[in-house]
């Protein structure tokens, strides 16, 4: 069950990222993230009232911690993706987001079989392969500097910290940790947008009505993926669940191929096959 929930988490993250990219074509990235977090906070709060057994103060604090590091991860990732080179930034961020929580779980005493170790290793390879994006050979690619590597690793660490914080929460209190995370991040983002609007005169929220259905989809999928991860991590090992959840680029790349007709590279195709083999090994292990 934990592996199934972890794969659902990855799928939800990946599809949410796809809709986020589509929404960013109609609104500013900060508006997309803020709007999705506001809607996600409302949805998570309704879900919490309906399904949570009780409110646990420790879980709420862990949720805020995860939300804080998540915002840092998003900010660094979007900054680096805008500057480039994407072919370095994306895989470094994705692989770090998987390695950090997996290592944390092992440090806490989680034990894996030989098949489990092999599955995790292959899953990490799959994350790396699927996340690789080809650079335009006719374009001048930005140099790979120490700053590029450092900010990419920090972005991945921010996402990995979300897994660690949410993985430490209890299932009976879910999804209240996600509510506290979304309330915190939504407030922070709205304050930032307000300050920027005062300086530049730009609107706080998107004016293109076509952006809102996409933002709503991001809010539901991204928030839902966090809730799924809490349930998955409470039923399985963090090392396994976090690595499988980090396969989220598979969903993004698949939709980009099916909806937008984007070409998949050989690396990405190999990553898909590797991901399936890794999942099978983790199920057997």
């Amino acid at each position: 069950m934990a592996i199934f929930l972890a794969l659902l988490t990855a799928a939800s993250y990946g599809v949410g990222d796809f809709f986020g990219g589509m929404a960013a074509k109609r609104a500013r990235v900060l508006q997309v993230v803020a709007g999705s977090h506001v809607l996600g906070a409302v949805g998570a709060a309704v879900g919490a009232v309906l399904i949570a057994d009780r409110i646990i103060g420790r879980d709420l604090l862990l949720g805020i911690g995860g939300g804080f590091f998540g915002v840092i991860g998003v900010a660094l990732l979007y900054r680096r993706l805008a500057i480039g080179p994407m072919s370095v930034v994306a895989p470094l961020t994705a692989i770090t987001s998987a390695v950090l929580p997996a290592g944390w779980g092992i440090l806490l005493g989680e034990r894996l079989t030989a098949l489990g170790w092999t599955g995790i290793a292959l899953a990490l390879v799959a994350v790396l392969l699927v996340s690789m994006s080809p650079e335009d050979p006719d374009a001048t690619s930005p140099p790979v500097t120490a700053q590029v590597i450092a900010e990419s690793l920090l972005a991945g660490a921010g996402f990995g910290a979300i897994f660690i914080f949410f993985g430490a929460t209890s299932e009976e209190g879910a999804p209240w940790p996600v509510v506290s995370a979304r309330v915190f991040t939504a407030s922070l983002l709205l304050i930032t947008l307000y300050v920027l609007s005062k300086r530049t005169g730009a609107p706080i929220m998107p004016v293109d009505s076509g952006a809102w259905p996409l933002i709503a989809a991001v809010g539901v999928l991204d928030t839902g993926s966090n809730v799924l991860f809490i349930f998955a991590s409470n039923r399985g090992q963090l090392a396994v669940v976090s690595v499988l959840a980090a396969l989220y680029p598979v969903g993004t790349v698949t939709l980009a191929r099916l909806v937008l007709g984007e070409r998949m590279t050989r690396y990405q195709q190999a990553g898909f096959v590797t991901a399936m083999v890794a999942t099978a090994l983790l199920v057997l292990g």
Side-chain angles (χ1 to χ4, degrees), residues 207-220:
V207 295
D208 185 347
S209 59
W212 280 107
L214 296 169
I215 292 174
V218 176
V220 171

Side-chain angles (χ1 to χ4, degrees), residues 29 45-46 65 79 96-97 108 113 132 146 153 173-174 185 195 197 205 239 244 266-267 271 284:
V29 169
V46 173
R79 167 183 156 79
T96 306
S97 71
L108 291 179
T113 64
M132 294 180 70
L153 292 175
T185 55
V195 172
S197 71
M205 286 285 104
L244 288 177
R266 292 181 179 178
Y267 289 115
L284 294 173

Side-chain angles (χ1 to χ4, degrees), residues 155-251:
F159 295 129
I162 296 176
F163 291 154
I164 291 175
F165 276 88
F166 283 166
T169 63
S170 59
E171 185 174 341
E172 60 183 350
W176 282 115
V178 180
V179 176
S180 64
R182 284 293 178 263
V183 169
F184 173 77
T185 55
S187 301
L188 189 62
L189 290 165
L190 288 175
I191 291 171
T192 302
L193 282 169
Y194 176 77
V195 172
L196 290 175
S197 71
K198 288 296 184 180
R199 291 181 179 178
T200 64
I204 296 178
M205 286 285 104
V207 295
D208 185 347
S209 59
W212 280 107
L214 296 169
I215 292 174
V218 176
V220 171
L221 290 164
D222 186 52
T223 302
S225 61
N226 289 326
V227 177
L228 286 169
F229 182 83
I230 291 177
F231 286 117
S233 62
N234 274 276
R235 301 184 184 194
Q237 298 188 84
L238 180 62
V240 173
V241 170
S242 60
V243 169
L244 288 177
L247 289 171
Y248 61 86
V250 170

